Amino acid sequence: MSSNSGRGLQPNVLGTFDTIVMAVAGSAPAYSLAATTAVLVGAVGLAAPAALLYCAIPMLGIVLAFSRLGRIDVNAGASYSWVGRTLHPFLGFISGWALVVSATIFMVAGSLPAGAMTLALFDPGLAGNTALATAVGACWFLVMLLVVLGGARLTVRAQLLMSGVEILLLLLFLLAALLHKGSAISFDWSWLGFSHFDGASGFASGALIAAFYYWGWDVTSNLSEETRNSRRTAGLAALVGVGVVLLLFVAFTVAVNVILTSEQIKAGSGNVLGALGDEIWPGVGGKLLIIAVLLSTVATLETTLIQVTRSLFAMGRDRTMPAALGSVHPRWNTPWVAIGVVGVVALVMFVAATALGTVGDILSDAVSAISLQIAVYYGLAGLAAVAAYRRMLLTSVKNFLLGGAWPLLGSAFMFWIFFESLGELSTASIAIGLGGLVVGVVPMLWYWRQGSTYYRPAKLDAARSIEAEVPYAGAAPGPRDAMATDF
């Protein structure tokens, strides 16, 4: 299994700024705040800002793990390749499968709010109609499917427009929240401490939801074969992206605590930002933040599509899934078969979603299920980084902290919240989360018996890779190009 040939994906398309935009869009700040804040507040109450703040520390350990692994193995499959080449191919496949399943579930969980937000712009009464919201959301999904099919260059141009407007609107409302006169409750520094958590299990359930907020920054690793100087760029962009969304998440959850009552948060359910906007700027504010959430939702649909299709492309290329998934369109240089398959599966799930209940119910179960799968593949990636760099960990304090201790902390945290939260989740969330992972055993064993070379990997060793330092086929010629963009 070679990891350093582009095999059809177009190299050197994205620059550093483009990749940072993709990292921020992947975490979808406005969407995460709108769709998940009610779930988080329901789990931990006033401790919502603390859950996001403390989850960021181990999450940065996982960012470091991805960054360091990306330096020695440039692969569109990311953790699927890294975990397979360091820990065990079976664990690598499950890691990739966890991303594929979580991203596919998100196609529905993300498209439903997009449909509901679009309807809310014209008639707020229509936003609660699950069937109509699903239909409109499916239309947005198909538009993003076509954009992703059109290639990385078109994808990042769409991102710059959507995410640029989204971030400007969020910053505008942060300023407005600071100047807002009325409040439901006065700010308290204890919101950033541990006193409001209901024990270890309460903290774990909050942290699991917080992991969903951050999820998506790792799209930079899935785009690594299409990024200039990606050994450096993908990790740097992910670090900057997580830093940006951390500040936005904590600031907005504090604003929600101060300005909205618990009844308003519960009533806002699938769109807490809209309720916040109406309170800050009656009439106009809610509409503007609905636009921000809509843009964020559509933007993160695009990055999630990239993650799942690039992962399936890597699997098809390695013959751990049908080989056709590794096919690249001759004109657009995109994995068109993988994109088509994801499109069909997601549309079938849209039809099923209409029978599952309200938008809020579907979101709550989906967020928890996806979070379980995120915890699995992030946790495995943290262990993979420690394994890959094991011979270098004691060579310096920096290597020990950044290559060993912090990724290991991140990994341990992810597995802890996975197991600790199982007792707190609904049966539906656990069934979707764990059932989705178990289904992956079938293709894994089938293609293992077929003799895929993925299951006989060349071990990933950082010390040996850095000594060799052979650039992959898509690498840019020098560091001076690192900050280049396409625009």
Side-chain angles (χ1 to χ4, degrees):
M1 180 185 67
S2 171
S3 63
N4 46 352
S5 96
R7 300 198 196 176
L9 294 177
Q10 188 175 1
N12 299 327
V13 175
L14 307 179
T16 304
F17 180 71
D18 309 330
T19 316
I20 291 171
V21 170
M22 298 301 283
V24 173
S27 291
Y31 165 79
S32 298
L33 287 161
T36 321
T37 299
V39 181
L40 183 61
V41 170
V44 297
L46 293 171
L52 289 163
L53 180 62
Y54 295 120
C55 185
I57 297 169
M59 185 62 75
L60 286 170
I62 304 301
V63 175
L64 286 170
F66 270 71
S67 174
R68 292 171 74 81
L69 287 164
R71 290 180 198 172
I72 55 177
D73 182 21
V74 176
N75 192 295
S79 62
Y80 155 79
S81 171
W82 304 330
V83 174
R85 293 183 62 191
T86 52
L87 304 181
H88 193 280
F90 283 2
L91 291 175
F93 184 87
I94 290 298
S95 181
W97 184 259
L99 170 59
V100 167
V101 174
S102 56
T104 305
I105 293 172
F106 182 78
M107 299 306 165
V108 176
S111 297
L112 283 175
M117 300 294 162
T118 305
L119 293 170
L121 286 174
F122 301 99
D123 182 355
L126 292 175
N129 186 323
T130 305
L132 198 54
T134 303
V136 177
C139 292
W140 277 117
F141 170 77
L142 288 172
V143 170
M144 288 301 101
L145 197 75
L146 293 173
V147 170
V148 171
L149 183 63
R153 197 179 302 275
L154 175 62
T155 299
V156 81
R157 284 177 176 166
Q159 277 301 350
L160 281 169
L161 176 63
M162 293 185 292
S163 297
V165 175
E166 171 200 355
I167 297 300
L168 284 174
L169 285 172
L170 288 178
L171 292 176
L172 172 68
F173 273 87
L174 269 183
L175 180 62
L178 284 172
L179 300 174
H180 184 67
K181 299 295 183 187
S183 66
I185 187 173
S186 298
F187 171 74
D188 193 321
W189 284 104
S190 69
W191 297 347
L192 299 175
F194 289 95
S195 60
H196 292 283
F197 290 109
D198 184 17
S201 61
F203 175 70
S205 60
L208 189 73
I209 297 164
F212 176 80
Y213 274 77
Y214 291 107
W215 176 54
W217 53 263
D218 47 308
V219 67
T220 61
S221 296
N222 298 107
L223 284 166
S224 61
E225 293 183 27
E226 298 154 89
T227 304
R228 280 195 292 281
N229 195 19
S230 72
R231 293 185 189 280
R232 169 189 176 274
T233 303
L236 172 66
L239 195 62
V240 174
V242 169
V244 169
V245 296
L246 164 63
L247 294 174
L248 288 172
F249 289 157
V250 173
F252 266 97
T253 46
V254 167
V256 166
N257 276 2
V258 170
I259 294 171
L260 298 182
T261 63
S262 56
E263 290 77 19
Q264 286 174 306
I265 295 170
K266 190 173 181 181
S269 171
N271 183 17
V272 170
L273 274 193
L276 184 68
D278 277 330
E279 192 67 27
I280 292 174
W281 191 355
V284 180
K287 294 280 188 189
L288 284 176
L289 277 182
I290 284 175
I291 291 171
V293 175
L294 177 59
L295 289 170
S296 179
T297 308
V298 175
T300 199
L301 273 179
E302 184 186 81
T303 58
T304 310
L305 270 167
I306 288 170
Q307 287 195 278
V308 68
T309 55
R310 292 324 187 259
S311 296
L312 286 173
F313 163 76
M315 290 173 156
R317 185 172 66 182
D318 292 337
R319 306 294 195 272
T320 58
M321 290 285 277
L325 294 171
S327 303
V328 173
H329 194 279
R331 179 179 175 187
W332 299 314
N333 295 102
T334 50
W336 67 280
V337 176
I339 292 169
V341 168
V342 169
V344 171
V345 171
L347 289 175
V348 170
M349 290 175 67
F350 283 128
V351 175
T354 59
L356 293 178
T358 67
V359 174
D361 292 338
I362 294 169
L363 274 177
S364 181
D365 287 337
V367 164
S368 298
I370 290 170
S371 298
L372 286 174
Q373 292 153 356
I374 295 166
V376 168
Y377 88 85
Y378 276 176
L380 288 172
L383 291 179
V386 176
Y389 280 84
R390 63 191 179 280
R391 291 203 291 150
M392 300 177 62
L393 295 183
L394 300 180
T395 58
S396 71
V397 173
K398 178 182 175 183
N399 278 336
F400 178 77
L401 291 176
L402 302 186
W406 208 341
L408 191 60
L409 166 69
S411 177
F413 184 80
M414 292 298 159
F415 288 125
W416 177 72
I417 62 174
F418 176 90
F419 289 109
E420 189 70 26
S421 61
L422 285 177
E424 304 287 318
L425 298 180
S426 68
T427 305
S429 294
I430 294 173
I432 296 168
L434 298 186
L437 291 176
V438 171
V439 170
V441 174
V442 176
M444 180 182 76
L445 293 178
W446 174 264
Y447 285 98
W448 169 63
R449 294 196 59 166
Q450 298 297 308
S452 165
T453 56
Y454 173 83
Y455 295 104
R456 301 188 302 277
K459 285 293 183 182
L460 194 58
D461 186 298
R464 203 161 48 233
S465 299
I466 290 170
E467 282 168 16
E469 201 60 58
V470 179
Y472 86 107
R480 64 200 178 104
D481 295 327
M483 292 302 289
T485 77
D486 301 308
F487 313 105

